[in-house]
Amino acid sequence: MCLVRLLATLTAIACLAGCATGAPASPTASPPASPTATDRPQSSPSPDGLFSRIPGIVRQVEPSVVTIFTPGSLGSGVVYRADGIILTNEHVVEGQRRVQVAFADGKRADGRVLATDARTDLAVVKAERDDLHPATFQPKLPVPGELALALGSPLGFENTVTAGIISGLDREVPDSAQAGHALVDLIQTDAAISPGVSGGALVNARGEVVGINEAYIPPQEGAVSIGFAIPAGVVTWAADQLLDKGKVTHSFLGVGLRTLTPEIAQSLDVGTEGGAIITSIVRGGPAADAGLRRGDVITAFAGQPVRTSEDVVDKLRDLRPGTKTAVEVQRDGSTEQVDVTIGEAPAS
Protein backbone atom coordinates (compact mmCIF):
# COMPACT_ATOMS: atom_id res chain seq x y z
CA MET A 1 0.00 0.00 0.00
CA CYS A 2 1.46 3.38 -0.92
CA LEU A 3 2.26 5.87 1.85
CA VAL A 4 -0.37 8.46 0.85
CA ARG A 5 -3.14 5.90 0.71
CA LEU A 6 -2.13 4.32 4.01
CA LEU A 7 -1.95 7.68 5.81
CA ALA A 8 -5.32 8.73 4.39
CA THR A 9 -6.78 5.54 5.84
CA LEU A 10 -5.16 6.26 9.21
CA THR A 11 -6.62 9.76 9.29
CA ALA A 12 -10.11 8.66 8.28
CA ILE A 13 -10.64 6.06 10.96
CA ALA A 14 -10.89 6.59 14.70
CA CYS A 15 -8.00 4.29 15.43
CA LEU A 16 -6.04 1.56 13.68
CA ALA A 17 -5.49 -1.92 15.06
CA GLY A 18 -3.18 -4.40 13.39
CA CYS A 19 -4.95 -7.36 11.77
CA ALA A 20 -4.04 -10.71 13.28
CA THR A 21 -3.20 -13.25 10.63
CA GLY A 22 -3.13 -16.79 11.80
CA ALA A 23 -0.71 -19.14 10.06
CA PRO A 24 -2.15 -22.55 9.11
CA ALA A 25 -1.16 -25.33 11.44
CA SER A 26 1.46 -27.79 10.23
CA PRO A 27 -0.12 -31.19 9.49
CA THR A 28 2.78 -32.90 11.22
CA ALA A 29 2.83 -30.69 14.28
CA SER A 30 2.26 -32.47 17.56
CA PRO A 31 -0.02 -31.01 20.24
CA PRO A 32 1.79 -28.62 22.60
CA ALA A 33 2.85 -30.07 25.88
CA SER A 34 0.78 -29.13 28.91
CA PRO A 35 2.49 -26.36 30.87
CA THR A 36 4.01 -27.24 34.17
CA ALA A 37 3.13 -25.36 37.33
CA THR A 38 6.15 -23.11 36.85
CA ASP A 39 5.16 -22.38 33.23
CA ARG A 40 1.69 -21.12 34.08
CA PRO A 41 1.20 -17.40 34.77
CA GLN A 42 0.94 -16.95 38.52
CA SER A 43 -0.61 -13.48 38.51
CA SER A 44 -3.58 -14.03 36.17
CA PRO A 45 -6.76 -14.91 38.09
CA SER A 46 -9.21 -17.33 36.57
CA PRO A 47 -12.26 -15.73 34.90
CA ASP A 48 -14.53 -17.05 37.64
CA GLY A 49 -12.24 -15.61 40.30
CA LEU A 50 -12.14 -12.22 38.59
CA PHE A 51 -15.91 -11.98 38.21
CA SER A 52 -16.44 -13.02 41.81
CA ARG A 53 -14.41 -9.97 42.85
CA ILE A 54 -16.67 -7.47 41.05
CA PRO A 55 -19.11 -6.95 43.97
CA GLY A 56 -16.20 -6.09 46.23
CA ILE A 57 -14.78 -3.65 43.67
CA VAL A 58 -18.19 -1.98 43.39
CA ARG A 59 -18.51 -1.63 47.16
CA GLN A 60 -15.06 -0.03 47.23
CA VAL A 61 -15.75 2.52 44.48
CA GLU A 62 -19.48 3.20 44.83
CA PRO A 63 -19.14 5.82 47.63
CA SER A 64 -16.93 7.87 45.28
CA VAL A 65 -19.48 8.06 42.43
CA VAL A 66 -22.28 10.63 42.50
CA THR A 67 -25.25 11.78 40.45
CA ILE A 68 -25.34 15.42 39.33
CA PHE A 69 -28.70 17.06 38.68
CA THR A 70 -29.15 20.16 36.54
CA PRO A 71 -32.44 21.73 35.38
CA GLY A 72 -33.95 19.21 32.99
CA SER A 73 -30.97 16.88 32.90
CA LEU A 74 -28.56 14.76 34.91
CA GLY A 75 -25.16 13.13 34.73
CA SER A 76 -22.60 11.49 36.98
CA GLY A 77 -19.45 12.56 38.79
CA VAL A 78 -16.45 11.22 40.72
CA VAL A 79 -15.23 12.45 44.11
CA TYR A 80 -11.75 13.94 43.78
CA ARG A 81 -11.22 15.29 47.28
CA ALA A 82 -12.87 14.65 50.64
CA ASP A 83 -13.76 18.33 51.06
CA GLY A 84 -16.45 18.15 48.38
CA ILE A 85 -14.47 18.47 45.14
CA ILE A 86 -16.13 16.42 42.41
CA LEU A 87 -15.11 15.89 38.77
CA THR A 88 -17.55 15.50 35.91
CA ASN A 89 -17.88 16.30 32.20
CA GLU A 90 -18.19 19.89 31.07
CA HIS A 91 -21.18 18.93 28.96
CA VAL A 92 -22.99 17.62 32.07
CA VAL A 93 -22.95 21.07 33.73
CA GLU A 94 -22.73 23.22 30.60
CA GLY A 95 -24.16 26.68 31.20
CA GLN A 96 -24.89 25.98 34.90
CA ARG A 97 -23.35 27.52 38.01
CA ARG A 98 -25.45 25.64 40.57
CA VAL A 99 -26.26 21.92 40.62
CA GLN A 100 -27.50 19.32 43.07
CA VAL A 101 -25.43 16.27 43.95
CA ALA A 102 -26.82 12.90 45.10
CA PHE A 103 -24.50 10.49 46.93
CA ALA A 104 -24.42 6.72 47.30
CA ASP A 105 -25.45 7.04 50.98
CA GLY A 106 -28.77 8.59 49.93
CA LYS A 107 -27.90 12.14 50.95
CA ARG A 108 -28.08 15.15 48.69
CA ALA A 109 -26.22 18.45 48.75
CA ASP A 110 -26.07 21.64 46.74
CA GLY A 111 -23.07 22.07 44.47
CA ARG A 112 -21.32 24.96 42.76
CA VAL A 113 -19.51 24.70 39.41
CA LEU A 114 -16.02 26.08 40.08
CA ALA A 115 -14.40 25.80 36.65
CA THR A 116 -14.76 24.02 33.31
CA ASP A 117 -12.60 23.16 30.31
CA ALA A 118 -14.44 22.47 27.06
CA ARG A 119 -11.37 21.12 25.25
CA THR A 120 -11.01 18.16 27.65
CA ASP A 121 -14.76 18.19 28.46
CA LEU A 122 -14.03 18.30 32.19
CA ALA A 123 -15.51 20.33 35.04
CA VAL A 124 -14.90 20.76 38.77
CA VAL A 125 -17.87 20.99 41.15
CA LYS A 126 -17.76 21.88 44.88
CA ALA A 127 -20.45 20.09 46.86
CA GLU A 128 -21.46 21.32 50.29
CA ARG A 129 -20.07 18.27 52.09
CA ASP A 130 -16.64 17.64 53.60
CA ASP A 131 -16.86 13.97 54.54
CA LEU A 132 -16.58 12.37 51.11
CA HIS A 133 -14.67 9.30 49.97
CA PRO A 134 -12.18 10.27 47.21
CA ALA A 135 -11.58 7.84 44.39
CA THR A 136 -8.10 6.54 43.60
CA PHE A 137 -6.96 7.54 40.11
CA GLN A 138 -4.59 5.38 38.05
CA PRO A 139 -2.46 7.79 35.97
CA LYS A 140 -1.09 5.11 33.64
CA LEU A 141 -3.17 3.90 30.74
CA PRO A 142 -4.95 0.57 31.19
CA VAL A 143 -4.14 -2.43 29.03
CA PRO A 144 -6.56 -3.55 26.29
CA GLY A 145 -8.38 -6.66 27.44
CA GLU A 146 -8.35 -5.92 31.16
CA LEU A 147 -11.53 -5.66 33.24
CA ALA A 148 -13.48 -2.40 33.06
CA LEU A 149 -16.46 -1.40 35.21
CA ALA A 150 -18.51 1.70 34.37
CA LEU A 151 -20.30 3.33 37.30
CA GLY A 152 -22.87 6.10 37.03
CA SER A 153 -26.55 6.91 36.70
CA PRO A 154 -27.84 5.89 33.25
CA LEU A 155 -31.20 7.52 32.54
CA GLY A 156 -31.38 8.42 36.24
CA PHE A 157 -30.94 4.89 37.57
CA GLU A 158 -28.52 5.82 40.35
CA ASN A 159 -25.66 3.57 41.50
CA THR A 160 -25.62 1.48 38.33
CA VAL A 161 -22.62 -0.62 37.33
CA THR A 162 -21.89 -2.32 34.01
CA ALA A 163 -18.99 -4.64 33.22
CA GLY A 164 -16.78 -5.17 30.20
CA ILE A 165 -13.17 -4.79 29.16
CA ILE A 166 -10.82 -2.13 27.90
CA SER A 167 -11.43 -2.42 24.16
CA GLY A 168 -8.81 0.00 22.85
CA LEU A 169 -6.73 3.13 23.38
CA ASP A 170 -5.98 6.36 21.49
CA ARG A 171 -9.56 6.55 20.24
CA GLU A 172 -11.36 9.55 18.75
CA VAL A 173 -15.12 10.06 18.91
CA PRO A 174 -16.26 10.23 15.27
CA ASP A 175 -17.48 13.70 14.17
CA SER A 176 -16.92 15.16 17.64
CA ALA A 177 -15.08 18.14 16.13
CA GLN A 178 -18.30 19.13 14.38
CA ALA A 179 -19.93 19.51 17.81
CA GLY A 180 -17.30 22.07 18.82
CA HIS A 181 -14.33 20.14 20.23
CA ALA A 182 -12.60 17.03 18.96
CA LEU A 183 -12.58 14.28 21.58
CA VAL A 184 -9.32 12.39 21.08
CA ASP A 185 -6.87 10.08 22.89
CA LEU A 186 -9.76 8.33 24.63
CA ILE A 187 -10.13 4.88 26.16
CA GLN A 188 -12.63 2.60 24.41
CA THR A 189 -14.68 0.11 26.42
CA ASP A 190 -17.56 -2.27 25.85
CA ALA A 191 -18.88 -1.72 29.38
CA ALA A 192 -22.29 -0.19 28.65
CA ILE A 193 -22.31 3.62 28.74
CA SER A 194 -25.71 5.30 28.38
CA PRO A 195 -27.05 8.86 28.80
CA GLY A 196 -26.51 9.85 32.43
CA VAL A 197 -23.30 7.82 32.85
CA SER A 198 -21.22 10.71 31.44
CA GLY A 199 -18.91 11.99 34.17
CA GLY A 200 -18.95 8.71 36.06
CA ALA A 201 -16.06 6.36 36.74
CA LEU A 202 -14.45 3.70 34.58
CA VAL A 203 -12.50 1.51 36.99
CA ASN A 204 -10.16 -1.47 36.83
CA ALA A 205 -9.96 -4.69 38.82
CA ARG A 206 -8.13 -2.86 41.64
CA GLY A 207 -10.91 -0.32 42.04
CA GLU A 208 -8.80 2.47 40.54
CA VAL A 209 -10.37 5.04 38.24
CA VAL A 210 -8.74 4.67 34.82
CA GLY A 211 -11.06 7.13 33.12
CA ILE A 212 -14.05 9.44 33.32
CA ASN A 213 -16.95 8.18 31.20
CA GLU A 214 -17.39 10.47 28.22
CA ALA A 215 -19.58 9.24 25.37
CA TYR A 216 -20.90 6.28 23.39
CA ILE A 217 -21.88 5.49 19.83
CA PRO A 218 -25.63 4.76 19.77
CA PRO A 219 -27.00 1.49 18.38
CA GLN A 220 -28.76 3.28 15.52
CA GLU A 221 -25.30 4.01 14.15
CA GLY A 222 -24.71 0.27 13.92
CA ALA A 223 -22.58 0.13 17.08
CA VAL A 224 -22.74 -2.49 19.79
CA SER A 225 -21.23 -1.50 23.14
CA ILE A 226 -18.75 1.13 21.95
CA GLY A 227 -18.15 3.65 24.69
CA PHE A 228 -15.37 6.08 25.53
CA ALA A 229 -13.69 7.52 28.61
CA ILE A 230 -11.17 10.30 29.25
CA PRO A 231 -7.93 8.76 30.58
CA ALA A 232 -7.30 9.38 34.28
CA GLY A 233 -3.92 10.96 33.56
CA VAL A 234 -5.62 13.65 31.47
CA VAL A 235 -8.36 14.05 34.09
CA THR A 236 -6.04 14.74 37.03
CA TRP A 237 -3.77 16.96 34.91
CA ALA A 238 -6.72 19.14 33.89
CA ALA A 239 -8.44 19.05 37.29
CA ASP A 240 -5.38 20.28 39.15
CA GLN A 241 -5.08 23.25 36.78
CA LEU A 242 -8.78 24.05 37.06
CA LEU A 243 -8.52 24.05 40.84
CA ASP A 244 -5.28 26.05 40.87
CA LYS A 245 -6.02 28.76 38.30
CA GLY A 246 -9.54 28.20 37.00
CA LYS A 247 -8.47 27.20 33.50
CA VAL A 248 -6.35 24.66 31.62
CA THR A 249 -3.38 25.70 29.50
CA HIS A 250 -3.07 23.36 26.53
CA SER A 251 0.31 23.08 24.90
CA PHE A 252 0.12 22.58 21.15
CA LEU A 253 2.27 20.65 18.68
CA GLY A 254 -0.10 20.79 15.74
CA VAL A 255 -0.09 17.16 14.61
CA GLY A 256 -2.38 14.17 14.52
CA LEU A 257 -0.73 11.02 15.84
CA ARG A 258 -1.24 7.27 15.83
CA THR A 259 0.86 4.63 17.51
CA LEU A 260 3.11 2.85 15.02
CA THR A 261 2.25 -0.84 14.87
CA PRO A 262 4.64 -3.49 13.48
CA GLU A 263 2.33 -3.93 10.50
CA ILE A 264 2.41 -0.23 9.64
CA ALA A 265 6.17 -0.12 10.19
CA GLN A 266 6.59 -2.99 7.71
CA SER A 267 4.29 -1.33 5.16
CA LEU A 268 6.22 1.94 5.36
CA ASP A 269 9.60 0.18 5.52
CA VAL A 270 10.38 2.14 8.68
CA GLY A 271 13.49 1.10 10.56
CA THR A 272 11.74 1.04 13.93
CA GLU A 273 8.90 -0.94 15.47
CA GLY A 274 7.89 1.71 17.99
CA GLY A 275 6.95 5.35 17.77
CA ALA A 276 4.14 7.73 16.85
CA ILE A 277 3.40 8.33 13.20
CA ILE A 278 2.26 11.81 12.13
CA THR A 279 -1.02 11.25 10.27
CA SER A 280 -1.97 14.91 9.86
CA ILE A 281 -0.33 18.26 10.42
CA VAL A 282 -1.81 21.69 11.10
CA ARG A 283 -0.74 24.29 8.55
CA GLY A 284 1.06 27.09 10.35
CA GLY A 285 1.34 25.08 13.57
CA PRO A 286 4.56 24.53 15.54
CA ALA A 287 5.35 21.17 13.92
CA ALA A 288 4.76 22.45 10.39
CA ASP A 289 6.86 25.57 11.02
CA ALA A 290 9.71 23.35 12.26
CA GLY A 291 9.63 21.19 9.12
CA LEU A 292 7.94 18.07 10.42
CA ARG A 293 5.93 16.21 7.81
CA ARG A 294 3.01 13.85 7.49
CA GLY A 295 4.47 10.34 7.55
CA ASP A 296 7.33 11.15 9.93
CA VAL A 297 7.61 8.70 12.82
CA ILE A 298 8.45 10.34 16.13
CA THR A 299 10.85 8.09 18.05
CA ALA A 300 11.98 10.56 20.73
CA PHE A 301 10.38 13.71 22.13
CA ALA A 302 11.83 16.18 24.61
CA GLY A 303 14.68 13.81 25.38
CA GLN A 304 12.44 10.80 26.08
CA PRO A 305 11.97 7.71 23.90
CA VAL A 306 8.59 7.37 22.21
CA ARG A 307 6.91 3.99 21.84
CA THR A 308 3.29 5.14 21.50
CA SER A 309 1.38 8.29 20.62
CA GLU A 310 0.45 8.62 24.28
CA ASP A 311 4.14 9.11 25.12
CA VAL A 312 4.11 12.29 23.05
CA VAL A 313 0.82 13.50 24.51
CA ASP A 314 2.00 12.85 28.08
CA LYS A 315 5.26 14.71 27.61
CA LEU A 316 3.58 17.58 25.78
CA ARG A 317 1.44 18.26 28.86
CA ASP A 318 4.64 18.94 30.83
CA LEU A 319 5.94 21.53 28.36
CA ARG A 320 4.88 25.16 28.61
CA PRO A 321 4.05 27.12 25.46
CA GLY A 322 7.19 28.82 24.18
CA THR A 323 9.46 25.94 25.17
CA LYS A 324 11.85 24.76 22.46
CA THR A 325 12.25 20.99 22.42
CA ALA A 326 13.94 18.35 20.28
CA VAL A 327 11.91 15.90 18.22
CA GLU A 328 13.65 12.84 16.75
CA VAL A 329 11.95 11.32 13.71
CA GLN A 330 12.44 8.48 11.27
CA ARG A 331 12.07 9.82 7.74
CA ASP A 332 12.86 8.09 4.45
CA GLY A 333 15.00 5.48 6.17
CA SER A 334 17.12 7.90 8.19
CA THR A 335 16.97 9.51 11.61
CA GLU A 336 16.61 13.29 11.83
CA GLN A 337 16.33 15.69 14.75
CA VAL A 338 14.11 18.76 14.55
CA ASP A 339 13.76 21.57 17.09
CA VAL A 340 10.14 22.62 17.69
CA THR A 341 8.88 25.60 19.68
CA ILE A 342 5.75 24.45 21.52
CA GLY A 343 2.70 26.63 20.99
CA GLU A 344 -0.53 27.15 22.90
CA ALA A 345 -3.66 25.50 21.55
CA PRO A 346 -5.87 28.04 19.81
CA ALA A 347 -9.32 28.75 21.23
CA SER A 348 -12.03 26.83 19.45
Side-chain angles (χ1 to χ4, degrees):
M1 181 182 293
C2 69
L3 173 60
V4 173
R5 184 178 176 188
L6 176 63
L7 292 174
T9 302
L10 286 169
T11 304
I13 60 177
C15 192
L16 205 170
C19 297
T21 56
S26 168
T28 59
S30 58
S34 299
T36 65
T38 56
D39 292 330
R40 298 188 186 102
Q42 299 300 308
S43 59
S44 300
S46 68
D48 289 344
L50 184 59
F51 282 110
S52 70
R53 291 169 50 200
I54 290 178
I57 299 168
V58 174
R59 286 192 298 270
Q60 174 187 340
V61 179
E62 195 173 52
S64 303
V65 180
V66 305
T67 305
I68 297 178
F69 295 92
T70 63
S73 185
L74 62 83
S76 302
V78 181
V79 177
Y80 193 52
R81 293 193 331 213
D83 62 356
I85 298 298
I86 293 166
L87 307 182
T88 187
N89 291 139
E90 188 269 347
H91 76 260
V92 169
V93 298
E94 184 177 10
Q96 305 297 320
R97 302 313 301 171
R98 295 283 179 177
V99 297
Q100 190 173 64
V101 183
F103 301 90
D105 61 7
K107 296 180 180 180
R108 293 197 177 199
D110 291 332
R112 179 166 52 96
V113 179
L114 297 182
T116 64
D117 181 62
R119 189 175 295 275
T120 55
D121 195 26
L122 291 168
V124 176
V125 173
K126 175 66 170 72
E128 295 181 2
R129 283 188 68 173
D130 59 4
D131 60 345
L132 302 183
H133 186 281
T136 299
F137 287 78
Q138 165 56 266
K140 292 186 179 297
L141 285 171
V143 177
E146 72 173 284
L147 178 71
L149 304 178
L151 287 83
S153 300
L155 302 176
F157 292 99
E158 298 179 29
N159 307 321
T160 292
V161 58
T162 58
I165 61 171
I166 301 296
S167 304
L169 304 173
D170 301 327
R171 298 308 203 222
E172 178 177 346
V173 175
D175 300 325
S176 60
Q178 298 178 16
H181 298 282
L183 301 173
V184 299
D185 301 318
L186 302 176
I187 298 168
Q188 180 186 335
T189 181
D190 66 348
I193 294 177
S194 304
V197 177
S198 291
L202 187 72
V203 305
N204 61 20
R206 296 180 296 279
E208 300 163 329
V209 176
V210 298
I212 294 293
N213 300 326
E214 168 64 34
Y216 69 100
I217 300 178
Q220 56 264 37
E221 298 294 328
V224 178
S225 298
I226 299 179
F228 304 95
I230 306 166
V234 176
V235 171
T236 56
W237 168 80
D240 290 343
Q241 291 190 66
L242 289 172
L243 289 167
D244 181 48
K245 54 187 180 181
K247 67 175 185 176
V248 179
T249 299
H250 295 274
S251 295
F252 182 62
L253 188 58
V255 296
L257 298 172
R258 287 290 178 263
T259 296
L260 184 74
T261 65
E263 292 81 7
I264 299 172
Q266 184 176 10
S267 298
L268 298 180
D269 194 22
V270 176
T272 179
E273 292 187 355
I277 185 170
I278 298 178
T279 59
S280 62
I281 195 158
V282 177
R283 183 179 300 177
D289 288 347
L292 290 174
R293 306 172 189 170
R294 192 167 176 238
D296 286 347
V297 177
I298 299 176
T299 53
F301 183 74
Q304 299 295 321
V306 170
R307 299 293 299 175
T308 68
S309 61
E310 190 67 22
D311 291 339
V312 178
V313 174
D314 283 344
K315 189 60 182 176
L316 184 62
R317 294 189 200 112
D318 298 333
L319 300 175
R320 297 178 62 84
T323 303
K324 180 175 285 189
T325 190
V327 182
E328 182 182 279
V329 299
Q330 286 279 328
R331 176 189 295 169
D332 298 329
S334 62
T335 300
E336 299 190 23
Q337 183 165 300
V338 178
D339 290 331
V340 179
T341 300
I342 302 302
E344 182 171 352
S348 58

